[in-house]
Amino acid sequence: MRKQIVAGNWKMNNDYVDSELLVSKLLEQHTHSQTEVIIAPPFTSLLSSSNSLKGSQITVAAQNMHYAENGAYTGEVSAAMLKGVGVQTVILGHSERRAYFGETDALLAKKVDAALQHNIRVIFCFGEELADRKSGNEEAIVEGQIKNALFHLPASAWEQIVLAYEPVWAIGTGETASPEQAQDMHNFIRQTIANKYSSGLAAEVSILYGGSVKPANAKEIFSKADVDGGLIGGAALDVTQFTAIINAF
Ligand code: PEP
């Protein structure tokens, strides 16, 4: 079902102690809301964060996972391992994974399948680079990323898919897509899904925007018809800012 979601991606920040502190501050400041709130701490804090958040409305997501069930993949973590520490959601395809770790659409398709087999919801990230936007190719790039990693899925699998449009030029740069640019792209994404599946299915998919969302711009971005929330990087590390973004709905 289409939901309003605000997810915080902590990236490689916060050790176990810092994570506990941030989670306890978040619990203090978070008030009951219709907006689903997710935090994605590093692997080492997933268990403690998930335990500390038990009974609250906030859940944890992992920032990555491997597609294999187990085996000789040094340094990797499987879907079953995530499930075992209370993880219900995984972020896949973040532009930093694509850029620094060579993750391709084909690899991501395998990861998506593995997550869904374990009933882990996927926040699937994609977005164009600045050069793509400058050359007017942003829609073709985004369409390709979605098709290549997700269009092999049956319609029923989409209940467990959340999309996150994150233009690479807006991530961690302080530069944000304008609310109109975000709306145009989100509308295009919904149309792309409607063309492949159905307009009914497309209407039910939550599409988050990510890229330098801050308390000052969240309200306007979230007010757009096809923007169902945000994937937040830098501002998710500051509880006051993160809470203000959640409350921007
Ligand atoms: C992100 O990394 O997903 C992100 C959106 O980062 P930031 O909010 O810092 O741009």
Side-chain angles (χ1 to χ4, degrees), residues 31-220:
T31 45
H32 185 90
S33 74
Q34 277 193 322
T35 306
E36 182 179 348
V37 179
I38 301 170
I39 56 164
F43 286 133
T44 48
S45 301
L46 283 172
L47 178 60
S48 56
S49 300
S50 138
N51 283 340
S52 301
L53 289 168
K54 267 197 188 118
S56 81
Q57 281 191 308
I58 306 169
T59 59
V60 294
Q63 299 173 19
N64 181 33
M65 54 163 257
H66 197 272
Y67 61 80
E69 285 296 307
N70 58 342
Y73 297 101
T74 302
E76 292 290 329
V77 168
S78 72
M81 291 170 184
L82 295 180
K83 265 270 146 100
V85 294
V87 168
Q88 295 156 21
T89 309
V90 63
I91 297 173
L92 293 177
H94 192 280
S95 65
E96 288 151 17
R97 299 292 319 167
R98 293 175 189 259
Y100 307 145
F101 303 96
E103 296 201 357
T104 60
D105 292 343
L107 175 78
L108 291 167
K110 287 187 183 180
K111 291 190 177 200
V112 168
D113 289 346
L116 297 183
Q117 269 157 23
H118 286 268
N119 204 24
I120 296 180
R121 179 174 52 168
V122 173
I123 299 180
F124 184 75
C125 306
F126 52 89
E128 82 283 0
E129 310 230 355
L130 187 57
D132 303 319
R133 185 160 279 269
K134 282 193 169 154
S135 60
N137 273 340
E138 67 271 18
E139 289 187 348
I141 295 289
V142 160
E143 187 176 5
Q145 289 169 326
I146 295 172
K147 272 188 179 166
N148 295 339
L150 300 176
F151 275 8
H152 63 287
L153 296 174
S156 58
W158 279 79
E159 269 185 31
Q160 288 285 65
I161 302 287
V162 171
L163 299 178
Y165 167 58
E166 299 206 300
V168 178
W169 47 272
I171 296 180
T173 58
E175 202 172 321
T176 323
S178 68
E180 291 69 32
Q181 282 174 321
Q183 167 57 24
D184 286 352
M185 184 58 88
H186 283 223
N187 180 259
F188 170 76
I189 294 162
R190 214 177 286 287
Q191 201 50 56
T192 303
I193 297 163
N195 294 343
K196 165 73 181 171
Y197 294 93
S198 68
S199 48
L201 186 149
E204 292 297 307
V205 177
S206 297
I207 310 177
L208 316 184
Y209 168 79
S212 299
V213 176
K214 307 282 177 219
N217 58 24
K219 206 179 182 85
E220 218 189 328

